[in-house]
């Protein structure tokens, strides 16, 4: 049996050095070479370099946040980022939305046989850069290889460990009537950057993904608002509409949005119109929603705007006691419409 | 766009309730239904049920072990287990090999559109049973759905958190000349159970996977041997040969194995011979290798044998100062042969 090539539907040259082979997932010499030549030079650190069965982490606190996310975005590379950057930002942002400081990530990679190493290396470079930018170390990893046609280039799971704040604990169930609803920047960029690429849409400017680490914004909010930082959420899959619906349901409150205040960039709006999509449901990867008592809204906005990533922060609505569990949009014409949860997804495989 | 069926190469009936659809990965109502109807009934616990962006864990210690593993076994179900059981055992065993007590798991699932829910439910049931048996809670999860032909039923990542012992810290670099090399049971069962199924081999008895949680054996060894429990390793991908080679390299020692002492079951040996495989390279999922000073070998074996999972424990060799980095087998006929690391894998997608 020549197992290194079993399962090939479109064989690469035997011994080809520029593409992933099944044997790279074997746990043998090829696996060791994959680690040595591609992963460790970009991601290595004193913990990862030990290559033990598990990483040993010393934590200054006994209470931690743990989050996991798998990334299957198609295509792997898009304007403004790639799956590697996304895999870091997605998970560190989930930690940050708990008010936790991201510290460590684990990395689980599924590679499709035949993936060019140049793509893998670009993804790993972006992943390393994003991890350094977010202040997290990759402390454990695992790589598997599947036959051609059993994946789509690569899938990445990251699981993150963050340090919780002793008293600042935002949660989806803590929104209260009267709270201001803030958003840290323009919406819809990530989803439309990926969709425009997939659909071959051309605009005067290229829509770029907003993929970014939100921890600096959260740190600023923690300092400025303290325990009254009631809700944080990054509106990824399902967009702002889905995130707000989840919060409304969890807190048993209504949310009233002001359509005129929604920060939808012109190019995102145009692309959405062309594809028949609603920007409220389009994924973001570098935007957060915060809910704070109205009296603290200005302080919160000032904290967000103090960081370049939050320069476009604004208030977009209010938490209300009416219509609990529902999100309602007040349109520019004075009408209202319900912003419901979608049954499925308007944009599959966006993250 | 009817996104719930985009990417279909072999369409399921629209609205079909017995198979995974793309929309189940959307973050919308179908995603909520998938969680409510399939995941939470089997895996729910007070931490997971909060469905936050991240789980909050309270740890009695500031030093933890973290390990990640992705499972891509083909087929998903095999005699003795399925990918769900494997995904729990694989990661809790990696923690146990650090001497750590497994406590928490996160779960990242990639589902292929069209996967029958009955398969998903069996996998989740086995996963839940394995987690309960291992004493770990699933505390965070994520599910993505990809189009048909972009996965192979399902892939599962688990990332585990375990509590380290203050002084018992086995590690691959701690083997010392004179140490006894122990194995906790018969080798080659998991790999050959999967391969026999794939190849359609028929024997008088069905070879079953040994997939199991090794933590009870490790707890026994910790108590019996203490800090002199130098090395623990579960020989999964690449089998016993690969695990021992890694230890020999990390500890800069030689390892001499006694071929006559290797516990290869008759049916595993027969299946290996038929397929031209060497059982030393076949994956195990419920066996550990331990290295302890020779003076503690009997105590260690007694501790292993006290548990049903370790009933077949035995000494298979010795750590030596000769041939550092090399594993050598002393054959029944008095000869010796080098047991090298394979370049690739003789058995792809076994875990």
């Amino acid at each position: 049996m020549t197992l290194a090539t079993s399962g090939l539907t479109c064989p690469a040259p035997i011994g080809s050095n520029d593409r992933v082979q099944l044997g790279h997932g074997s746990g043998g010499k090829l696996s060791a070479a994959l680690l040595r030549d591609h992963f460790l030079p970009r991601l290595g650190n004193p913990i990862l370099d030990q290559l033990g069965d598990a990483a040993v982490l010393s934590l200054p606190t006994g209470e931690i946040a743990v989050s996991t996310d798998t990334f299957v975005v198609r295509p792997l590379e898009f304007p403004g980022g790639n799956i590697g950057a996304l895999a870091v930002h997605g998970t560190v942002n989930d930690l940050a939305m708990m008010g936790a400081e991201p510290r460590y990530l684990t990395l689980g990679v599924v590679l499709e046989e035949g993936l060019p190493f140049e793509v893998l290396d670009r993804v790993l470079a972006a992943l390393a850069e994003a991890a350094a930018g977010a202040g997290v170390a990759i402390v454990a990893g695992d790589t598997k290889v599947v036959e051609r046609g059993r994946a789509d280039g690569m899938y990445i799971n990251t699981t993150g460990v963050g340090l919780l704040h002793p008293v600042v604990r935002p949660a989806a169930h803590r929104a209260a009537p009267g709270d201001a609803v803030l958003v840290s920047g323009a919406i819809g960029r990530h989803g439309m950057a990926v969709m425009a690429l997939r659909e071959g849409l051309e605009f005067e400017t290229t829509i770029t993904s907003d993929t970014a680490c939100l921890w600096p914004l959260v740190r600023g909010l923690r300092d400025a608002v303290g325990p009254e930082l009631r809700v944080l959420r990054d509106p990824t899959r399902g967009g702002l509409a889905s995130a707000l619906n989840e919060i409304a349901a969890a807190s048993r409150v209504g949310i009233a949005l002001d359509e005129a205040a929604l920060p939808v960039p012109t190019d995102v709006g145009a692309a959405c119109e062309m594809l028949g999509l609603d920007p409220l449901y389009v994924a973001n990867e570098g935007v957060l929603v915060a809910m704070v008592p109205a009296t603290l809204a200005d302080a919160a906005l000032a904290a967000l705007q103090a960081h370049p990533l939050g320069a476009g922060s604004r208030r977009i609505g209010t938490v209300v006691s009416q219509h609990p569990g529902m999100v309602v949009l007040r349109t520019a014409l004075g009408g209202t419409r319900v912003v419901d949860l979608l049954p499925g997804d308007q944009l599959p495989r966006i993250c």
Side-chain angles (χ1 to χ4, degrees), chain A residues 293-342:
Chain A
T295 50
L296 293 170
D298 288 343
L301 279 175
L304 289 171
Q305 289 161 354
H307 190 278
L309 195 59
S313 297
R314 58 173 75 182
R315 179 170 177 168
I316 58 168
T318 303
V319 178
V320 298
S321 54
Q322 296 90 335
H323 52 79
M326 278 173 64
V327 180
V328 165
L329 190 69
R330 291 179 184 140
T331 67
L333 298 174
T336 61
R337 71 172 170 94
V338 174
V339 179
D340 202 1
L341 209 55
L342 289 188

Side-chain angles (χ1 to χ4, degrees), chain A residues 161-220:
Chain A
V161 174
L163 305 182
L164 285 159
H165 192 278
V167 294
V168 184
R169 296 287 177 94
H173 62 83
R174 289 186 57 207
D179 284 357
V181 180
L182 313 178
V183 67
S184 66
I187 64 169
R189 285 177 49 207
H190 175 71
M192 291 322 296
V194 174
M195 282 309 285
L197 182 63
R198 275 199 220 158
E199 303 287 329
L201 301 186
E202 298 269 347
F203 301 95
E204 281 175 34
T205 55
T206 302
I207 304 175
T208 56
S209 168
D210 60 346
T211 184
C213 170
L214 293 166
W215 164 241
L217 294 185
V218 174
R219 188 175 46 206

Side-chain angles (χ1 to χ4, degrees), chain A residues 37-65:
Chain A
D37 299 340
H38 298 276
F39 282 81
L40 292 179
R42 293 168 182 86
L43 307 178
N45 59 61
I47 302 178
L48 187 64
D49 294 346
Q50 292 175 28
L51 299 179
D53 279 313
V56 175
L57 307 183
S58 292
L59 301 170
T61 163
E63 209 171 35
I64 60 173

